[in-house]
Amino acid sequence: EAQVTQNPRYLITVTGKKLTVTCSQNMNHEYMSWYRQDPGLGLRQIYYSMNVEVTDKGDVPEGYKVSRKEKRNFPLILESPSPNQTSLYFCASSSAGTAFYEQYFGPGTRLTVT
Amino acid sequence: GENVEQHPSTLSVQEGDSAVIKCTYSDSASNYFPWYKQELGKRPQLIIDIRSNVGEKKDQRIAVTLNKTAKHFSLHITETQPEDSAVYFCAASRWDSNYQLIWGAGTKLIIKP
């Protein structure tokens, strides 16, 4: 089954404790992206990747890191989480190395930083 | 850079009536405009998209119209049903920005029985 998976789905952590949210897709997509969703603000892009070893900042990259060592995986790293990073996070992937085609979203990760 | 505004933020319509959600964009070079639907607790999913070389696209009860001169595009849902209740997001993108999607803030559509 074609899908985008994220883990964990829910995470409660404390300020400053490093964490990683994994994202994996099995559709051989070149393009992958991370978004955060906050009430009234819609979806804001954090980072995106056009292909392996190619990543770029989105609209709200501060406090986040990503890596793309393999085509199927695109982990999101919070080195020192803060309460303002409490949010719902979505990973997405798309074919053809662009977002010009349908983006397939993962199920979301709800992160709470206390 | 591109900015996308979406209105209204909440829309309540009677079942069977039509619903229209409108988005305006600022960058005249934008050329791809998708609409995503997000049901409560679920992930966003693409429902329809349009490219700038066409003015309208239909898929059963949903349609999208694009006015490039006025820089706005709209989602039209006819004969609304309870399963249409969701949050709808519009977005805009241009080919020379690495196809980065700029999203509207979303519209919560409520279908009243």
Side-chain angles (χ1 to χ4, degrees):
Chain A
E1 178 190 357
Q3 60 181 346
V4 179
T5 57
Q6 292 178 231
N7 282 291
R9 295 288 314 280
Y10 303 91
L11 180 58
I12 301 174
T13 190
V14 296
T15 299
K17 186 176 181 182
K18 181 179 178 180
L19 66 91
T20 299
V21 183
T22 64
C23 173
S24 184
Q25 50 93 6
N26 62 1
M27 294 170 280
N28 202 36
H29 285 168
E30 292 86 358
Y31 183 97
M32 296 186 75
S33 181
W34 275 103
Y35 295 95
R36 60 178 290 173
Q37 184 175 24
D38 302 289
L41 296 177
L43 290 160
R44 292 182 294 168
Q45 191 177 51
I46 303 169
Y47 269 95
Y48 64 98
S49 170
M50 301 287 282
N51 214 323
V52 175
E53 301 294 358
V54 180
T55 63
D56 210 344
K57 295 178 181 179
D59 299 314
V60 288
E62 292 75 23
Y64 304 94
K65 286 176 57 177
V66 294
S67 68
R68 188 90 182 273
K69 293 184 170 57
E70 304 166 285
K71 197 172 188 180
R72 63 183 292 128
N73 297 323
F74 191 45
L76 178 69
I77 303 156
L78 284 71
E79 296 261 354
S80 183
S82 62
N84 65 10
Q85 293 179 299
T86 292
S87 187
L88 177 60
Y89 291 86
F90 286 101
C91 178
S93 73
S94 176
S95 66
T98 78
F100 221 64
Y101 296 83
E102 178 174 4
Q103 290 202 36
Y104 294 85
F105 284 81
T109 295
R110 187 166 292 282
L111 172 65
T112 302
V113 183
T114 62
Chain B
E2 175 68 281
N3 181 52
V4 176
E5 293 189 357
Q6 184 172 347
H7 298 281
S9 57
T10 304
L11 177 61
S12 183
V13 302
Q14 206 69 39
E15 182 178 349
D17 288 350
S18 295
V20 181
I21 302 169
K22 182 176 177 179
C23 287
T24 59
Y25 60 98
S26 59
D27 188 346
S28 58
S30 289
N31 54 357
Y32 174 64
F33 309 93
W35 286 90
Y36 283 75
K37 174 184 180 183
Q38 185 179 27
E39 297 177 2
L40 187 63
K42 301 286 183 63
R43 69 195 78 188
Q45 290 187 294
L46 180 71
I47 54 172
I48 196 167
D49 59 10
I50 191 168
R51 285 165 169 75
S52 59
N53 56 345
V54 297
E56 184 176 3
K57 184 177 179 180
K58 286 183 180 179
D59 183 3
Q60 299 182 339
R61 295 187 298 108
I62 62 173
V64 56
T65 58
L66 172 64
N67 184 325
K68 289 169 57 180
T69 303
K71 291 189 286 187
H72 67 71
F73 57 109
S74 300
L75 178 70
H76 305 255
I77 306 174
T78 58
E79 301 172 6
T80 53
Q81 301 170 4
E83 55 264 37
D84 295 328
S85 292
V87 177
Y88 292 81
F89 292 98
C90 64
S93 179
R94 53 185 288 176
W95 69 271
D96 59 351
S97 67
N98 280 339
Y99 301 92
Q100 186 181 7
L101 281 173
I102 305 300
W103 297 79
T107 295
K108 183 176 183 180
L109 177 62
I110 301 166
I111 308 300
K112 297 181 291 186

mmCIF file of all heavy atoms in Angstrom, chain A residues 4 35 37 40 42-43 45 48 50 56 58-59 90 98-103 105-107, chain B residues 31-32 36 38 42-44 46 51 89 93-95 97-105:
data_model
loop_
_atom_site.group_PDB
_atom_site.id
_atom_site.type_symbol
_atom_site.label_atom_id
_atom_site.label_comp_id
_atom_site.label_asym_id
_atom_site.label_seq_id
_atom_site.Cartn_x
_atom_site.Cartn_y
_atom_site.Cartn_z
ATOM 1 N N VAL A 4 2.654 7.305 3.383
ATOM 2 C CA VAL A 4 3.649 8.076 4.119
ATOM 3 C C VAL A 4 3.409 7.779 5.599
ATOM 4 O O VAL A 4 2.271 7.900 6.065
ATOM 5 C CB VAL A 4 3.512 9.582 3.856
ATOM 6 C CG1 VAL A 4 4.548 10.357 4.653
ATOM 7 C CG2 VAL A 4 3.653 9.884 2.363
ATOM 8 N N TYR A 35 5.647 20.131 7.414
ATOM 9 C CA TYR A 35 4.785 21.253 7.737
ATOM 10 C C TYR A 35 4.433 21.212 9.217
ATOM 11 O O TYR A 35 4.382 20.155 9.819
ATOM 12 C CB TYR A 35 3.462 21.167 6.961
ATOM 13 C CG TYR A 35 3.584 21.295 5.465
ATOM 14 C CD1 TYR A 35 3.678 20.171 4.654
ATOM 15 C CD2 TYR A 35 3.551 22.543 4.849
ATOM 16 C CE1 TYR A 35 3.767 20.287 3.274
ATOM 17 C CE2 TYR A 35 3.639 22.670 3.470
ATOM 18 C CZ TYR A 35 3.741 21.527 2.699
ATOM 19 O OH TYR A 35 3.817 21.650 1.328
ATOM 20 N N GLN A 37 1.127 22.621 11.594
ATOM 21 C CA GLN A 37 -0.232 23.151 11.487
ATOM 22 C C GLN A 37 -0.669 23.690 12.825
ATOM 23 O O GLN A 37 -0.700 22.959 13.824
ATOM 24 C CB GLN A 37 -1.212 22.061 11.019
ATOM 25 C CG GLN A 37 -2.614 22.583 10.800
ATOM 26 C CD GLN A 37 -3.551 21.535 10.229
ATOM 27 O OE1 GLN A 37 -3.348 20.332 10.380
ATOM 28 N NE2 GLN A 37 -4.591 21.981 9.554
ATOM 29 N N GLY A 40 -5.726 28.575 12.928
ATOM 30 C CA GLY A 40 -5.782 29.911 12.344
ATOM 31 C C GLY A 40 -4.612 30.265 11.450
ATOM 32 O O GLY A 40 -4.637 31.317 10.799
ATOM 33 N N GLY A 42 -3.078 27.758 9.343
ATOM 34 C CA GLY A 42 -2.990 26.826 8.235
ATOM 35 C C GLY A 42 -1.742 25.970 8.301
ATOM 36 O O GLY A 42 -1.233 25.665 9.384
ATOM 37 N N LEU A 43 -1.228 25.605 7.147
ATOM 38 C CA LEU A 43 -0.033 24.781 7.041
ATOM 39 C C LEU A 43 1.160 25.667 6.700
ATOM 40 O O LEU A 43 1.135 26.402 5.726
ATOM 41 C CB LEU A 43 -0.224 23.732 5.934
ATOM 42 C CG LEU A 43 -1.232 22.634 6.233
ATOM 43 C CD1 LEU A 43 -1.702 21.980 4.951
ATOM 44 C CD2 LEU A 43 -0.618 21.583 7.148
ATOM 45 N N GLN A 45 5.285 25.614 5.934
ATOM 46 C CA GLN A 45 6.362 24.701 5.576
ATOM 47 C C GLN A 45 7.605 24.975 6.406
ATOM 48 O O GLN A 45 8.045 26.123 6.556
ATOM 49 C CB GLN A 45 6.686 24.825 4.092
ATOM 50 C CG GLN A 45 7.594 23.740 3.562
ATOM 51 C CD GLN A 45 7.806 23.874 2.072
ATOM 52 O OE1 GLN A 45 8.144 24.941 1.569
ATOM 53 N NE2 GLN A 45 7.601 22.782 1.350
ATOM 54 N N TYR A 48 12.009 21.471 3.134
ATOM 55 C CA TYR A 48 11.658 20.557 2.077
ATOM 56 C C TYR A 48 12.921 20.021 1.428
ATOM 57 O O TYR A 48 14.022 20.568 1.608
ATOM 58 C CB TYR A 48 10.725 21.205 1.046
ATOM 59 C CG TYR A 48 11.320 22.358 0.267
ATOM 60 C CD1 TYR A 48 11.851 22.183 -1.002
ATOM 61 C CD2 TYR A 48 11.313 23.649 0.805
ATOM 62 C CE1 TYR A 48 12.364 23.243 -1.715
ATOM 63 C CE2 TYR A 48 11.834 24.717 0.097
ATOM 64 C CZ TYR A 48 12.355 24.513 -1.150
ATOM 65 O OH TYR A 48 12.871 25.569 -1.852
ATOM 66 N N MET A 50 14.253 18.314 -2.369
ATOM 67 C CA MET A 50 13.956 17.985 -3.766
ATOM 68 C C MET A 50 14.480 16.601 -4.141
ATOM 69 O O MET A 50 14.015 16.002 -5.118
ATOM 70 C CB MET A 50 14.563 19.040 -4.681
ATOM 71 C CG MET A 50 14.058 20.449 -4.426
ATOM 72 S SD MET A 50 12.371 20.683 -4.997
ATOM 73 C CE MET A 50 12.671 20.870 -6.756
ATOM 74 N N ASP A 56 16.163 22.351 1.709
ATOM 75 C CA ASP A 56 16.072 23.809 1.701
ATOM 76 C C ASP A 56 15.055 24.264 2.735
ATOM 77 O O ASP A 56 14.142 23.512 3.110
ATOM 78 C CB ASP A 56 15.676 24.323 0.322
ATOM 79 C CG ASP A 56 16.259 25.701 0.039
ATOM 80 O OD1 ASP A 56 16.705 26.379 1.005
ATOM 81 O OD2 ASP A 56 16.270 26.117 -1.126
ATOM 82 N N GLY A 58 11.979 26.199 4.447
ATOM 83 C CA GLY A 58 10.659 26.691 4.109
ATOM 84 C C GLY A 58 10.410 28.023 4.781
ATOM 85 O O GLY A 58 11.327 28.839 4.920
ATOM 86 N N ASP A 59 9.188 28.224 5.234
ATOM 87 C CA ASP A 59 8.824 29.512 5.821
ATOM 88 C C ASP A 59 9.216 29.657 7.286
ATOM 89 O O ASP A 59 9.458 30.758 7.763
ATOM 90 C CB ASP A 59 7.305 29.718 5.704
ATOM 91 C CG ASP A 59 6.857 29.725 4.266
ATOM 92 O OD1 ASP A 59 7.525 30.402 3.454
ATOM 93 O OD2 ASP A 59 5.859 29.070 3.953
ATOM 94 N N PHE A 90 3.113 17.568 10.019
ATOM 95 C CA PHE A 90 2.837 16.668 8.907
ATOM 96 C C PHE A 90 4.045 16.566 7.994
ATOM 97 O O PHE A 90 4.665 17.572 7.644
ATOM 98 C CB PHE A 90 1.655 17.170 8.063
ATOM 99 C CG PHE A 90 0.311 16.984 8.701
ATOM 100 C CD1 PHE A 90 -0.326 18.046 9.307
ATOM 101 C CD2 PHE A 90 -0.304 15.742 8.673
ATOM 102 C CE1 PHE A 90 -1.580 17.876 9.892
ATOM 103 C CE2 PHE A 90 -1.552 15.567 9.248
ATOM 104 C CZ PHE A 90 -2.179 16.639 9.860
ATOM 105 N N THR A 98 8.949 17.740 -7.374
ATOM 106 C CA THR A 98 8.367 19.069 -7.154
ATOM 107 C C THR A 98 7.120 18.937 -6.294
ATOM 108 O O THR A 98 6.649 17.848 -6.019
ATOM 109 C CB THR A 98 7.924 19.719 -8.476
ATOM 110 O OG1 THR A 98 6.678 19.142 -8.890
ATOM 111 C CG2 THR A 98 8.942 19.520 -9.570
ATOM 112 N N ALA A 99 6.575 20.097 -5.907
ATOM 113 C CA ALA A 99 5.277 20.089 -5.217
ATOM 114 C C ALA A 99 4.172 20.399 -6.208
ATOM 115 O O ALA A 99 3.051 20.685 -5.825
ATOM 116 C CB ALA A 99 5.276 21.117 -4.093
ATOM 117 N N PHE A 100 4.483 20.320 -7.508
ATOM 118 C CA PHE A 100 3.534 20.692 -8.545
ATOM 119 C C PHE A 100 2.554 19.571 -8.819
ATOM 120 O O PHE A 100 1.706 19.678 -9.678
ATOM 121 C CB PHE A 100 4.295 21.030 -9.824
ATOM 122 C CG PHE A 100 3.769 22.230 -10.557
ATOM 123 C CD1 PHE A 100 3.809 23.481 -9.993
ATOM 124 C CD2 PHE A 100 3.237 22.105 -11.823
ATOM 125 C CE1 PHE A 100 3.337 24.592 -10.662
ATOM 126 C CE2 PHE A 100 2.754 23.218 -12.512
ATOM 127 C CZ PHE A 100 2.817 24.457 -11.934
ATOM 128 N N TYR A 101 2.708 18.515 -8.091
ATOM 129 C CA TYR A 101 1.817 17.383 -8.204
ATOM 130 C C TYR A 101 1.249 17.086 -6.831
ATOM 131 O O TYR A 101 1.633 17.679 -5.846
ATOM 132 C CB TYR A 101 2.581 16.167 -8.749
ATOM 133 C CG TYR A 101 3.085 16.381 -10.151
ATOM 134 C CD1 TYR A 101 4.282 17.049 -10.390
ATOM 135 C CD2 TYR A 101 2.357 15.939 -11.256
ATOM 136 C CE1 TYR A 101 4.731 17.272 -11.675
ATOM 137 C CE2 TYR A 101 2.806 16.150 -12.531
ATOM 138 C CZ TYR A 101 3.992 16.811 -12.741
ATOM 139 O OH TYR A 101 4.432 17.037 -14.014
ATOM 140 N N GLU A 102 0.323 16.144 -6.757
ATOM 141 C CA GLU A 102 -0.335 15.852 -5.502
ATOM 142 C C GLU A 102 0.680 15.549 -4.420
ATOM 143 O O GLU A 102 1.603 14.754 -4.613
ATOM 144 C CB GLU A 102 -1.280 14.674 -5.653
ATOM 145 C CG GLU A 102 -1.968 14.285 -4.357
ATOM 146 C CD GLU A 102 -3.018 13.215 -4.557
ATOM 147 O OE1 GLU A 102 -3.160 12.723 -5.694
ATOM 148 O OE2 GLU A 102 -3.702 12.891 -3.568
ATOM 149 N N GLN A 103 0.486 16.178 -3.277
ATOM 150 C CA GLN A 103 1.303 15.868 -2.110
ATOM 151 C C GLN A 103 0.545 14.875 -1.248
ATOM 152 O O GLN A 103 -0.634 15.059 -0.938
ATOM 153 C CB GLN A 103 1.611 17.129 -1.307
ATOM 154 C CG GLN A 103 2.566 18.062 -2.026
ATOM 155 C CD GLN A 103 3.294 19.008 -1.086
ATOM 156 O OE1 GLN A 103 3.654 18.660 0.037
ATOM 157 N NE2 GLN A 103 3.503 20.212 -1.542
ATOM 158 N N PHE A 105 0.224 13.186 2.307
ATOM 159 C CA PHE A 105 0.571 13.533 3.682
ATOM 160 C C PHE A 105 0.612 12.286 4.572
ATOM 161 O O PHE A 105 -0.133 11.326 4.377
ATOM 162 C CB PHE A 105 -0.454 14.509 4.258
ATOM 163 C CG PHE A 105 -0.279 15.918 3.749
ATOM 164 C CD1 PHE A 105 -0.779 16.297 2.522
ATOM 165 C CD2 PHE A 105 0.371 16.859 4.528
ATOM 166 C CE1 PHE A 105 -0.626 17.598 2.056
ATOM 167 C CE2 PHE A 105 0.533 18.167 4.078
ATOM 168 C CZ PHE A 105 0.036 18.538 2.840
ATOM 169 N N GLY A 106 1.500 12.354 5.551
ATOM 170 C CA GLY A 106 1.492 11.360 6.607
ATOM 171 C C GLY A 106 0.351 11.617 7.571
ATOM 172 O O GLY A 106 -0.370 12.604 7.436
ATOM 173 N N PRO A 107 0.177 10.759 8.589
ATOM 174 C CA PRO A 107 -0.961 10.881 9.497
ATOM 175 C C PRO A 107 -0.826 12.000 10.518
ATOM 176 O O PRO A 107 -1.800 12.334 11.195
ATOM 177 C CB PRO A 107 -0.990 9.514 10.202
ATOM 178 C CG PRO A 107 0.428 9.057 10.141
ATOM 179 C CD PRO A 107 0.979 9.563 8.850
ATOM 180 N N ASN B 31 1.439 29.715 -10.764
ATOM 181 C CA ASN B 31 0.793 29.025 -11.884
ATOM 182 C C ASN B 31 0.215 27.665 -11.534
ATOM 183 O O ASN B 31 -0.174 26.901 -12.408
ATOM 184 C CB ASN B 31 1.771 28.897 -13.059
ATOM 185 C CG ASN B 31 3.074 28.250 -12.650
ATOM 186 O OD1 ASN B 31 3.291 27.932 -11.487
ATOM 187 N ND2 ASN B 31 3.944 28.044 -13.609
ATOM 188 N N TYR B 32 0.155 27.356 -10.244
ATOM 189 C CA TYR B 32 -0.445 26.080 -9.838
ATOM 190 C C TYR B 32 -1.234 26.317 -8.563
ATOM 191 O O TYR B 32 -0.716 26.903 -7.599
ATOM 192 C CB TYR B 32 0.647 25.022 -9.618
ATOM 193 C CG TYR B 32 0.140 23.721 -9.061
ATOM 194 C CD1 TYR B 32 -0.739 22.929 -9.795
ATOM 195 C CD2 TYR B 32 0.528 23.288 -7.805
ATOM 196 C CE1 TYR B 32 -1.212 21.732 -9.289
ATOM 197 C CE2 TYR B 32 0.062 22.096 -7.287
ATOM 198 C CZ TYR B 32 -0.795 21.319 -8.033
ATOM 199 O OH TYR B 32 -1.264 20.134 -7.531
ATOM 200 N N TYR B 36 -6.978 21.332 -0.923
ATOM 201 C CA TYR B 36 -6.900 20.149 -0.079
ATOM 202 C C TYR B 36 -8.030 20.160 0.936
ATOM 203 O O TYR B 36 -8.440 21.220 1.421
ATOM 204 C CB TYR B 36 -5.556 20.094 0.658
ATOM 205 C CG TYR B 36 -4.403 19.633 -0.200
ATOM 206 C CD1 TYR B 36 -3.831 20.472 -1.149
ATOM 207 C CD2 TYR B 36 -3.896 18.341 -0.076
ATOM 208 C CE1 TYR B 36 -2.787 20.037 -1.944
ATOM 209 C CE2 TYR B 36 -2.848 17.896 -0.868
ATOM 210 C CZ TYR B 36 -2.297 18.757 -1.804
ATOM 211 O OH TYR B 36 -1.260 18.324 -2.593
ATOM 212 N N GLN B 38 -9.289 18.535 4.621
ATOM 213 C CA GLN B 38 -8.832 17.865 5.825
ATOM 214 C C GLN B 38 -10.014 17.598 6.735
ATOM 215 O O GLN B 38 -10.573 18.512 7.348
ATOM 216 C CB GLN B 38 -7.783 18.702 6.560
ATOM 217 C CG GLN B 38 -7.178 17.994 7.754
ATOM 218 C CD GLN B 38 -6.125 18.817 8.465
ATOM 219 O OE1 GLN B 38 -6.146 20.047 8.437
ATOM 220 N NE2 GLN B 38 -5.172 18.159 9.111
ATOM 221 N N LYS B 42 -7.837 13.977 10.571
ATOM 222 C CA LYS B 42 -7.206 13.266 9.455
ATOM 223 C C LYS B 42 -6.131 14.137 8.780
ATOM 224 O O LYS B 42 -5.926 15.297 9.126
ATOM 225 C CB LYS B 42 -8.276 12.891 8.418
ATOM 226 C CG LYS B 42 -9.395 12.002 8.963
ATOM 227 C CD LYS B 42 -8.931 10.591 9.185
ATOM 228 C CE LYS B 42 -10.039 9.673 9.644
ATOM 229 N NZ LYS B 42 -11.114 9.528 8.624
ATOM 230 N N ARG B 43 -5.485 13.550 7.812
ATOM 231 C CA ARG B 43 -4.457 14.273 7.063
ATOM 232 C C ARG B 43 -5.090 15.032 5.901
ATOM 233 O O ARG B 43 -6.129 14.624 5.394
ATOM 234 C CB ARG B 43 -3.417 13.289 6.548
ATOM 235 C CG ARG B 43 -3.924 12.358 5.461
ATOM 236 C CD ARG B 43 -3.002 11.164 5.228
ATOM 237 N NE ARG B 43 -3.159 10.140 6.250
ATOM 238 C CZ ARG B 43 -2.353 9.079 6.354
ATOM 239 N NH1 ARG B 43 -1.341 8.935 5.521
ATOM 240 N NH2 ARG B 43 -2.562 8.177 7.295
ATOM 241 N N PRO B 44 -4.482 16.120 5.416
ATOM 242 C CA PRO B 44 -4.993 16.810 4.218
ATOM 243 C C PRO B 44 -4.882 15.899 2.996
ATOM 244 O O PRO B 44 -3.921 15.144 2.852
ATOM 245 C CB PRO B 44 -4.067 18.020 4.094
ATOM 246 C CG PRO B 44 -3.459 18.202 5.441
ATOM 247 C CD PRO B 44 -3.324 16.827 6.011
ATOM 248 N N LEU B 46 -5.600 15.987 -1.392
ATOM 249 C CA LEU B 46 -5.901 16.775 -2.581
ATOM 250 C C LEU B 46 -7.284 16.408 -3.120
ATOM 251 O O LEU B 46 -7.609 15.231 -3.277
ATOM 252 C CB LEU B 46 -4.850 16.511 -3.656
ATOM 253 C CG LEU B 46 -5.032 17.259 -4.976
ATOM 254 C CD1 LEU B 46 -4.741 18.755 -4.784
ATOM 255 C CD2 LEU B 46 -4.136 16.679 -6.068
ATOM 256 N N ARG B 51 -4.169 24.505 -13.120
ATOM 257 C CA ARG B 51 -2.975 25.192 -13.584
ATOM 258 C C ARG B 51 -3.389 26.462 -14.314
ATOM 259 O O ARG B 51 -4.524 26.580 -14.783
ATOM 260 C CB ARG B 51 -2.141 24.267 -14.467
ATOM 261 C CG ARG B 51 -1.406 23.215 -13.641
ATOM 262 C CD ARG B 51 -0.860 22.069 -14.460
ATOM 263 N NE ARG B 51 0.046 21.206 -13.710
ATOM 264 C CZ ARG B 51 -0.319 20.313 -12.798
ATOM 265 N NH1 ARG B 51 -1.585 20.172 -12.505
ATOM 266 N NH2 ARG B 51 0.582 19.587 -12.169
ATOM 267 N N PHE B 89 -8.241 23.805 2.434
ATOM 268 C CA PHE B 89 -7.084 24.680 2.264
ATOM 269 C C PHE B 89 -6.822 24.918 0.779
ATOM 270 O O PHE B 89 -6.828 23.975 -0.017
ATOM 271 C CB PHE B 89 -5.826 24.040 2.865
ATOM 272 C CG PHE B 89 -5.836 23.923 4.353
ATOM 273 C CD1 PHE B 89 -6.194 22.726 4.961
ATOM 274 C CD2 PHE B 89 -5.483 24.999 5.155
ATOM 275 C CE1 PHE B 89 -6.205 22.606 6.349
ATOM 276 C CE2 PHE B 89 -5.482 24.887 6.540
ATOM 277 C CZ PHE B 89 -5.848 23.688 7.128
ATOM 278 N N SER B 93 1.490 28.115 -6.059
ATOM 279 C CA SER B 93 2.894 27.787 -6.276
ATOM 280 C C SER B 93 3.341 28.305 -7.635
ATOM 281 O O SER B 93 2.514 28.494 -8.536
ATOM 282 C CB SER B 93 3.087 26.266 -6.226
ATOM 283 O OG SER B 93 4.435 25.919 -6.464
ATOM 284 N N ARG B 94 4.635 28.536 -7.778
ATOM 285 C CA ARG B 94 5.188 28.923 -9.068
ATOM 286 C C ARG B 94 6.375 28.035 -9.384
ATOM 287 O O ARG B 94 7.110 27.622 -8.494
ATOM 288 C CB ARG B 94 5.607 30.391 -9.069
ATOM 289 C CG ARG B 94 6.525 30.798 -7.936
ATOM 290 C CD ARG B 94 6.802 32.287 -7.946
ATOM 291 N NE ARG B 94 7.680 32.672 -9.035
ATOM 292 C CZ ARG B 94 8.006 33.937 -9.303
ATOM 293 N NH1 ARG B 94 7.509 34.912 -8.568
ATOM 294 N NH2 ARG B 94 8.812 34.225 -10.303
ATOM 295 N N TRP B 95 6.555 27.744 -10.665
ATOM 296 C CA TRP B 95 7.519 26.741 -11.074
ATOM 297 C C TRP B 95 8.944 27.120 -10.720
ATOM 298 O O TRP B 95 9.781 26.291 -10.458
ATOM 299 C CB TRP B 95 7.408 26.497 -12.583
ATOM 300 C CG TRP B 95 7.872 27.651 -13.413
ATOM 301 C CD1 TRP B 95 7.116 28.697 -13.835
ATOM 302 C CD2 TRP B 95 9.204 27.903 -13.878
ATOM 303 N NE1 TRP B 95 7.880 29.587 -14.544
ATOM 304 C CE2 TRP B 95 9.161 29.132 -14.595
ATOM 305 C CE3 TRP B 95 10.420 27.228 -13.765
ATOM 306 C CZ2 TRP B 95 10.293 29.669 -15.186
ATOM 307 C CZ3 TRP B 95 11.546 27.771 -14.363
ATOM 308 C CH2 TRP B 95 11.474 28.992 -15.063
ATOM 309 N N SER B 97 10.073 28.652 -8.052
ATOM 310 C CA SER B 97 10.339 28.812 -6.613
ATOM 311 C C SER B 97 10.557 27.444 -5.991
ATOM 312 O O SER B 97 10.206 27.219 -4.840
ATOM 313 C CB SER B 97 9.171 29.519 -5.926
ATOM 314 O OG SER B 97 8.032 28.676 -5.940
ATOM 315 N N ASN B 98 11.114 26.519 -6.771
ATOM 316 C CA ASN B 98 11.212 25.133 -6.327
ATOM 317 C C ASN B 98 9.828 24.562 -6.021
ATOM 318 O O ASN B 98 9.699 23.667 -5.202
ATOM 319 C CB ASN B 98 12.116 24.996 -5.111
ATOM 320 C CG ASN B 98 13.589 24.993 -5.494
ATOM 321 O OD1 ASN B 98 13.935 24.708 -6.637
ATOM 322 N ND2 ASN B 98 14.447 25.301 -4.560
ATOM 323 N N TYR B 99 8.825 25.118 -6.670
ATOM 324 C CA TYR B 99 7.455 24.624 -6.540
ATOM 325 C C TYR B 99 6.957 24.662 -5.105
ATOM 326 O O TYR B 99 6.107 23.888 -4.720
ATOM 327 C CB TYR B 99 7.340 23.206 -7.094
ATOM 328 C CG TYR B 99 7.732 23.110 -8.548
ATOM 329 C CD1 TYR B 99 9.027 22.810 -8.903
ATOM 330 C CD2 TYR B 99 6.794 23.341 -9.535
ATOM 331 C CE1 TYR B 99 9.382 22.734 -10.239
ATOM 332 C CE2 TYR B 99 7.155 23.255 -10.864
ATOM 333 C CZ TYR B 99 8.448 22.945 -11.217
ATOM 334 O OH TYR B 99 8.804 22.857 -12.521
ATOM 335 N N GLN B 100 7.491 25.571 -4.315
ATOM 336 C CA GLN B 100 7.068 25.660 -2.923
ATOM 337 C C GLN B 100 5.617 26.105 -2.867
ATOM 338 O O GLN B 100 5.227 27.093 -3.492
ATOM 339 C CB GLN B 100 7.944 26.645 -2.174
ATOM 340 C CG GLN B 100 7.672 26.709 -0.694
ATOM 341 C CD GLN B 100 8.554 27.718 0.012
ATOM 342 O OE1 GLN B 100 9.281 28.448 -0.625
ATOM 343 N NE2 GLN B 100 8.465 27.760 1.327
ATOM 344 N N LEU B 101 4.807 25.368 -2.119
ATOM 345 C CA LEU B 101 3.399 25.718 -1.961
ATOM 346 C C LEU B 101 3.250 26.735 -0.837
ATOM 347 O O LEU B 101 3.781 26.547 0.246
ATOM 348 C CB LEU B 101 2.570 24.474 -1.637
ATOM 349 C CG LEU B 101 2.211 23.542 -2.780
ATOM 350 C CD1 LEU B 101 1.538 22.295 -2.246
ATOM 351 C CD2 LEU B 101 1.305 24.232 -3.788
ATOM 352 N N ILE B 102 2.508 27.797 -1.100
ATOM 353 C CA ILE B 102 2.133 28.769 -0.072
ATOM 354 C C ILE B 102 0.648 28.548 0.203
ATOM 355 O O ILE B 102 -0.182 28.600 -0.711
ATOM 356 C CB ILE B 102 2.376 30.209 -0.541
ATOM 357 C CG1 ILE B 102 3.826 30.379 -0.991
ATOM 358 C CG2 ILE B 102 2.034 31.191 0.581
ATOM 359 C CD1 ILE B 102 4.859 30.097 0.072
ATOM 360 N N TRP B 103 0.323 28.317 1.477
ATOM 361 C CA TRP B 103 -1.020 27.868 1.835
ATOM 362 C C TRP B 103 -1.873 28.991 2.400
ATOM 363 O O TRP B 103 -1.372 29.897 3.086
ATOM 364 C CB TRP B 103 -0.920 26.768 2.896
ATOM 365 C CG TRP B 103 -0.222 25.536 2.419
ATOM 366 C CD1 TRP B 103 1.117 25.350 2.307
ATOM 367 C CD2 TRP B 103 -0.834 24.310 1.998
ATOM 368 N NE1 TRP B 103 1.372 24.091 1.836
ATOM 369 C CE2 TRP B 103 0.205 23.430 1.646
ATOM 370 C CE3 TRP B 103 -2.158 23.875 1.892
ATOM 371 C CZ2 TRP B 103 -0.039 22.136 1.182
ATOM 372 C CZ3 TRP B 103 -2.403 22.590 1.439
ATOM 373 C CH2 TRP B 103 -1.355 21.739 1.087
ATOM 374 N N GLY B 104 -3.173 28.915 2.129
ATOM 375 C CA GLY B 104 -4.130 29.737 2.827
ATOM 376 C C GLY B 104 -4.343 29.205 4.242
ATOM 377 O O GLY B 104 -3.909 28.100 4.565
ATOM 378 N N ALA B 105 -5.043 29.982 5.073
ATOM 379 C CA ALA B 105 -5.216 29.628 6.486
ATOM 380 C C ALA B 105 -6.306 28.594 6.712
ATOM 381 O O ALA B 105 -6.436 28.063 7.817
ATOM 382 C CB ALA B 105 -5.490 30.868 7.309
#
